[in-house]
Structures are given as C-alpha cells and as structure tokens.
Amino acid sequence: MAVPESRPERLENGKQTPRRPSTAHLKVVPPSRELRDRIRALAAETARSFDRSKPLSREFLQGQAEKLLDEAGLPRSYTGFAMVCLSNEFWRDQFMSVDFSRRMLLLPHCLKHAEGCPADYDEFGLQCLECGACVIADFKRRAEELGYKVLVAEGTPIVLKIIVSGYVDAILGVACLDVLEKAFNKVLQVGVPAIAVPLLSNKCKETSVDEDWVAEVIEWRTEPPPVRTRSYLPLMRLAKQLFEPGTVEQFVPRTRLAQLPEGADPMTDPVAATEAIAFDFLARGGRRFRPFITLASYDAMTGGAASDGAVLDEELPLRLPRFVCRAAMAIEVFHKASLVHDDIEDDDLYRYGRETLHRTHGLPVALNVGDYLIGLGYRLLKPDDGEQVPADAVADVLRCMADAHLKLAEGQGAELIWRESTDKRLTPLEALRIYALKTAPAFEAALYTGLRLAGPVGDLAQKVTAYTRHVGIAFQIINDLKDWDGDDHNKLLAGQDALSARPTLLLALALDADDRRLRAALEPTLQGDGRDLAAVQRLRGLFAELGVFEKAYRLVKKYRERAREVAESVDVEPLRDLLVFLLDTVLDYTPSDQLGTSPLPVIQPTT
Ligand code: SF4
C-alpha cells in the first residue's frame, strides 16, 4: 500500500540524517466509524476519475489524499488512511473480478487472543486452530469456504514470492498502517490488485479492525472490468517459469541425460554429472530479476502486449518470441556462472539456502560447473534453426554480454587484488569505480538485450549505460549500508564485509578521513583473520563518529536521483515507466534507526 512520505529530518549541524523520517503523525486512523466511512465515501468519489491503465504512484496518491482531506476540512494526520481508501477504490473492480480461488487473505497475528491462543507458528506464519477466541477464525473459515488462500503472517518477501510463484492474482490484506507502509507498496508497484483494511491501532497485541468491512470485502465478486491496470506480474512469472525443470530443457536440451538409459542417475556417469549439477543449480532459485528486465524491456518497446494486465499466464510465452526468452535465460545463466565463481573466491558457505557448490562437490568441480554454465549461456544465444532473428541484433547482444563479462571480471579482479594488497589504500573514487564494474554491466546487458531484440537502439544506448551505472553504484552502496543495518533477508550477521576485508565505499570514506585512530582500528580487521569482533565493533563506532553512514546514504540519494533523471528523459512511455519501476524496486532502501548502532552478533570461529 502506498504510504505518506514525511520531509527528511535534519541534524543540528544541518546534515541530513540517514534515518527513516518518521511518518507516524500521518498515519492516524480516524477514531470514529462515522469518520472512517466518510473518508471511504470521499475516496470512492475521488477515485472515479483515476486513470486505471497503469499503477498509481505514491506521490500521486499522497497528493490526492491531502487534497481530499483539505477539501473536507479534515486533518492531514489521516493521510495514510485516506491513501489506503483511495488505493482500494482504484483496485476495487479489478480485485472483485479475480476468482476467489486466485485470491489471498493476509491477516495479522496481532488480532489473535493474546493469552489464550493455542496456535503455533511455522514458516508460513500462525497456524490458526479456529478455537473461536478471536475473529481470525471467522475470517479464515469464510475465506477458505470461498476458495481463498489464507495466511496469518506479515512481510513482503513471502507475499511477493507467493504472487510471483503464480498461486494468487489478488490480495486482501488486514494490517496496521505501519505494516501496510512496508509491505504493500511493492505489491502495488508490481501491479497486483490489492485491497487493504487498516487495523484500528498500531499496537502489536490484541488489535481490532472494522470486522464488517473485512467480511464485506471477502465476499466482493463481479465480472472483469473494462480497463485493466498494467502489470509486470505476468512477465515476472514467466521469468521464473523459464527456469523450472522441464521448461529449461525446452530451450537447451540436456544432451548428456538423453544419452543415458531411462531412469539412470546422471551423477553416476562421469560425463553427464557436470550437466546434472549445472541444471540442478539453475533450478535452485533466485529472484530471476535479470531475465525479467530483458523480457520487460522487450515488451515495453513492442507495445506492452505482455504487461497490459489482461494476459493469461498460459498465453504469455506465445506473445513473446522464443529467442527473447532464450536471451533472457542466457543473462541469468551467465549470472549463475558468476555466482559459482564468486562463492569460490569468497569461500561462501551457503547459496539459496543450501551449501555452495564448492562445499558440496569440491572446488575443482564447482569451478568447472561455472565454466560449463558460461558455455550454456552462449548456446542459448544461438537462434534455433528456422528462428528469424536479425544477425546484427544477435551480434550486438553478444557484444554487450561480452563487455559485461569483461567488466564484471575486472571489477571482481580489482576487489580480489585489493584484498591481497598490504597497504589497503582505497579512495572513494576507486571504490566507486569498482562498484561501477560490479553490478551495472550485467544490469545494462539485461536491459540492452531486451531493447535490441525489439529493434535498433540508437540514442537510447547511451541512456541505458548512464542509467544502469547510476543504479548499479547506488545498489552497491545500499549493500554496504545493509551490511551494518541488520538486513535479515540477505545477511545473517552485521559487518560481514568488514570481517571479509572487502574494499567497500564505507571503508574508503573512512580512510579518506585520514584519522590515525581509524587506521589503528582498521588494522586488526584488515590484516587479521577476519574474526576480530572487537576490532569490527571499534570500526562501527568510528564509521558512525566520522559520519560515514550519512555520507554513503547521501551518495545513494545522489545516484538514485541521477538514475531517475535519465529514466524520465526517455521518450517511450512504457520504457520510461519500466525504468522508474526498476529503480524504485532495486533501490528501495531507507536506513533504519538501528544503522550502525545494533550490537554485533557473536560469530563462532570456523575451522
Ligand atoms: S481463533 Fe485461531 S488465532 Fe484466534 S485465538 Fe483461536 S487459534 Fe488463535
């Protein structure tokens, strides 16, 4: 759900704080039912004139909410609530047209009976036993009777995973305005019909909700509306489907497996084993964001037929040329090859929740599987016999991918060589140069490939290079900040980059301050075995003292703004929208209050 934005706070010295500005004063739920109903009615009236062909932006929604409240003589503190009501009205018809069996009801566990609830949690949230002590049981029972999937849980990752997996097409979420702020914005950006009913308080225990409102929405059902909003969901699903077992083989057949007797285990055959490990690794996971970018940029330049919101999943591959799918897969396969090699270089233990390949099969075998995947990527880039793909387009795509490969190796090489150096000198410019090589080229290749397969790219090529450079650098700096920010999606431990002595921008900014105390604090971390937690704690303290987190976050905002400027200068509207969506998605980050302050967890030394 889109949420209000507050002005950034300023420190006493005039610097802008990197922390998330508080929006609590804009997220007050109107205290009386009469007032809530009045705002809902005004929202229904206002939303009648909205353009439903593409998703609402948060800025637009906030402006409309403020206008609605001002005209009604109501306080701005209801902005968040009014935005939810406006968004609900925007999506109402499209939500109602989704079959019950394709909807998900998301309930908050804070509605449960705090003391007496006998239910336990598992990976999908609270497993309500329908004891009847709270309204969760009533909502759940009725929704499941109709065919809904019901989750009593919170959080965007699990919801997006379920949506992209193709199990549901619309969401009804009950949550407090704080949670809606975090969870629903991304869902709406993707273009998923979603209705939200706010809890009446932001407490975390025994909350309440307008129960008849929830019960009413659960029953909503109507025929498909005349206009459907543009949605990236079908293309996200396609990007994922391309790597499901059975589909990959339609594009690159498993030749070694085909040579074995039926039912034979390929791992027992020395030649077929490499192919088996590689295909298994390809199927393992990842967000498939790179192939999505290729599919979506092709779609944006060819009329947007695959994202117009009315496409059924089954029809989608038919709407995209087979070679576009192959090229999108090649991007992902090259990425997977680089991950195998990265994991070896960093001696990472886990990837996609399983042991890394070199830990499972040994370093030489993993190295070789990475090489195999590079070969597989090139095979995907060869058009099938009879496939009509202009040779110059294929040549341009190959050139772009080769450039990306070289730059990535240079960036990774710069990092590895720095880690081996003894003086550990690093300027912010050098760190930014490494960053520009590490993420941007692969991102550029994914975007360029979709555009080039749609036709000549012309002047757009320069914009794509500039845009992806800005996004890539901002993305890497955000990764630096998340390393200290308790990001529990990607990292389990704070300060991992420092422990691994990586040449981060934070380190470069700190070194740039040229403080002797700093170098003294850095020395044990950089020269040590990477397990000196006391040294990492001191480093964190000095980073904070020297304003390194603030400086880094200012750079994120600068590069994010530059990327936005480039995106908004693009003439082709669907591509412009896609570029804005990508940067809002990839660079969606505001430092938490805990940045650089939470205690480091204890790390057991490894043997
Ligand atoms: S109805 Fe379900 S969630 Fe509510 S108290 Fe009983 S078991 Fe817990």
Side-chain angles (χ1 to χ4, degrees):
M1 183 58 60
V3 288
E5 272 196 334
S6 189
R7 290 229 177 87
E9 291 169 3
R10 300 224 159 239
L11 300 172
E12 278 181 12
N13 61 7
K15 288 180 183 171
Q16 194 167 295
T17 172
R19 295 177 183 175
R20 184 187 291 278
S22 170
T23 52
H25 61 292
L26 300 174
K27 291 183 291 192
V28 175
V29 177
S32 71
R33 180 61 195 259
E34 187 191 355
L35 195 46
R36 294 195 288 277
D37 285 348
R38 186 174 159 215
I39 293 175
R40 284 178 66 190
L42 289 170
E45 187 61 37
T46 305
R48 234 172 246 153
S49 59
F50 286 177
D51 171 12
R52 284 172 171 71
S53 64
K54 57 183 187 177
L56 295 165
S57 73
R58 176 161 64 185
E59 294 72 26
F60 174 80
L61 207 46
Q62 183 165 350
Q64 291 292 313
E66 288 170 354
K67 188 162 167 263
L68 177 156
L69 294 170
D70 290 350
E71 287 175 2
L74 294 169
R76 290 273 182 103
S77 55
Y78 301 149
T79 301
F81 183 84
M83 287 169 75
V84 170
C85 296
L86 285 166
S87 175
N88 285 350
E89 292 304 327
F90 175 87
W91 287 108
R92 174 196 275 263
D93 289 349
Q94 293 180 75
F95 174 88
M96 286 168 66
S97 71
V98 174
D99 194 86
F100 289 128
S101 65
R102 302 286 303 164
R103 298 184 195 177
M104 181 164 70
L105 171 62
L106 196 58
L107 294 166
H109 57 85
C110 56
L111 273 176
K112 73 178 184 183
H113 191 280
E115 271 80 44
C117 177
D120 286 327
Y121 289 88
D122 67 10
E123 60 185 310
F124 297 108
L126 185 77
Q127 292 306 304
C128 170
L129 300 175
E130 301 187 14
C131 76
C134 77
V135 289
I136 288 178
D138 300 335
F139 294 149
K140 180 174 180 286
R141 198 176 303 118
R142 179 57 186 151
E144 284 179 344
E145 266 171 27
L146 291 169
Y148 280 74
K149 277 95 183 164
V150 180
L151 269 189
V152 187
E154 276 175 14
T156 325
I158 188 166
V159 176
L160 274 181
K161 205 169 169 183
I162 289 170
I163 294 170
V164 174
S165 299
Y167 296 115
V168 295
D169 297 325
I171 295 180
L172 165 56
V174 179
C176 65
L177 288 176
D178 273 342
V179 168
L180 291 176
E181 172 174 11
K182 294 183 191 112
F184 273 65
N185 203 29
K186 283 186 192 147
V187 171
L188 291 183
Q189 277 182 336
V190 172
V192 180
I195 300 287
V197 182
L199 291 169
L200 298 182
S201 76
N202 287 358
K203 289 187 305 178
C204 295
K205 265 172 105 178
E206 293 199 337
T207 48
S208 58
V209 66
D210 288 325
E211 292 174 25
D212 56 336
W213 186 359
V214 180
E216 176 197 329
V217 180
I218 287 175
E219 306 282 342
W220 277 357
R221 185 80 179 95
T222 189
E223 291 308 306
V227 180
R228 279 195 181 269
T229 303
R230 188 267 292 135
S231 170
Y232 294 122
L233 189 56
L235 291 168
M236 287 181 163
R237 287 179 175 167
L238 176 60
K240 188 170 178 299
Q241 283 163 13
L242 289 175
F243 290 92
E244 279 167 7
T247 311
V248 185
E249 291 84 346
Q250 290 174 23
F251 292 87
V252 266
R254 287 182 59 170
T255 50
R256 299 298 180 191
L257 183 66
Q259 291 164 3
L260 298 179
E262 198 165 336
D265 178 2
M267 289 304 291
T268 60
D269 181 277
V271 176
T274 300
E275 181 188 80
I277 298 170
F279 274 75
D280 175 64
F281 186 65
L282 272 183
R284 271 190 202 178
R287 292 192 303 157
R288 316 295 189 197
F289 203 62
R290 288 167 179 77
F292 161 73
I293 291 171
T294 301
L295 299 173
S297 55
Y298 176 87
D299 180 61
M301 296 301 283
T302 52
S307 57
D308 68 3
V311 182
L312 298 173
D313 286 347
E314 309 86 67
E315 296 174 20
L316 193 50
L318 304 177
R319 298 201 180 201
L320 289 170
R322 190 174 158 82
F323 188 71
V324 175
C325 296
R326 294 168 65 90
M329 292 173 80
I331 293 276
E332 180 74 355
V333 172
F334 285 137
H335 172 58
K336 288 284 184 283
S338 75
L339 291 182
V340 175
H341 289 168
D342 266 15
D343 287 344
I344 294 170
E345 286 154 3
D346 298 340
D347 194 17
D348 284 324
L349 302 182
Y350 298 102
R351 173 72 64 186
Y352 306 131
R354 286 165 66 175
E355 274 203 318
T356 43
L357 288 191
H358 67 283
R359 287 270 163 169
T360 309
H361 300 285
L363 191 148
V365 171
L367 197 61
N368 186 56
V369 170
D371 292 341
Y372 178 94
L373 287 170
I374 294 171
L376 199 64
Y378 284 118
R379 180 180 284 175
L380 277 160
L381 287 173
K382 179 202 158 300
D384 275 344
D385 293 341
E387 221 165 28
Q388 299 296 315
V389 190
D392 56 348
V394 177
D396 284 346
V397 166
L398 269 170
R399 178 197 48 74
C400 183
M401 290 200 193
D403 283 353
H405 218 129
L406 292 172
K407 285 179 187 164
L408 179 65
E410 287 170 346
Q412 180 72 356
E415 180 176 320
L416 296 173
I417 289 164
W418 186 89
R419 281 155 66 176
E420 294 299 316
S421 69
T422 50
D423 66 351
K424 297 289 190 293
R425 287 279 159 200
L426 183 72
T427 66
L429 269 182
E430 286 165 344
L432 290 175
R433 207 169 146 226
I434 294 175
Y435 286 6
L437 291 168
K438 285 199 68 177
T439 304
F443 193 25
E444 179 180 358
L447 197 50
Y448 177 88
T449 297
L451 300 182
R452 183 62 187 94
L453 293 177
V457 175
D459 294 346
L460 262 180
Q462 276 181 329
K463 292 190 176 181
V464 167
T465 302
Y467 169 85
T468 50
R469 187 172 188 280
H470 300 324
V471 172
I473 291 175
F475 177 78
Q476 287 281 340
I477 303 174
I478 286 173
N479 266 355
D480 283 3
L481 290 168
K482 282 182 175 176
D483 192 44
W484 295 99
D485 204 6
D487 167 29
D488 54 4
H489 300 316
N490 295 312
K491 300 274 178 81
L492 298 175
L493 305 166
Q496 283 292 282
D497 287 339
L499 286 170
S500 310
R502 290 200 171 110
T504 66
L505 178 75
L506 297 182
L507 195 60
L509 289 168
L511 283 166
D512 194 47
D514 203 17
D515 184 307
R516 288 179 62 197
R517 276 191 309 136
L518 174 73
R519 191 155 270 280
L522 287 176
E523 217 59 37
T525 310
L526 298 179
Q527 305 297 349
D529 65 358
R531 300 284 160 193
D532 187 342
L533 283 190
V536 176
Q537 290 279 25
R538 281 197 297 279
L539 191 55
R540 174 200 291 263
L542 284 168
F543 277 5
E545 191 182 321
L546 293 169
V548 163
F549 298 121
E550 285 88 345
K551 286 179 193 169
Y553 187 53
R554 277 204 295 277
L555 281 171
V556 168
K557 290 198 284 189
K558 184 173 119 181
Y559 282 103
R560 192 157 53 190
E561 222 23 68
R562 285 183 179 175
R564 191 175 300 279
E565 278 169 23
V566 178
E568 286 174 352
S569 73
V570 169
D571 294 332
V572 184
E573 190 184 340
L575 181 62
R576 187 167 66 234
D577 289 347
L578 175 66
L579 296 181
V580 171
F581 167 75
L582 293 177
L583 81 89
D584 281 345
T585 305
V586 174
L587 307 181
D588 178 23
Y589 170 74
T590 308
S592 73
D593 290 342
Q594 283 80 40
L595 177 59
T597 59
S598 57
L600 284 175
V602 174
I603 302 172
Q604 299 299 332
T606 54
T607 53

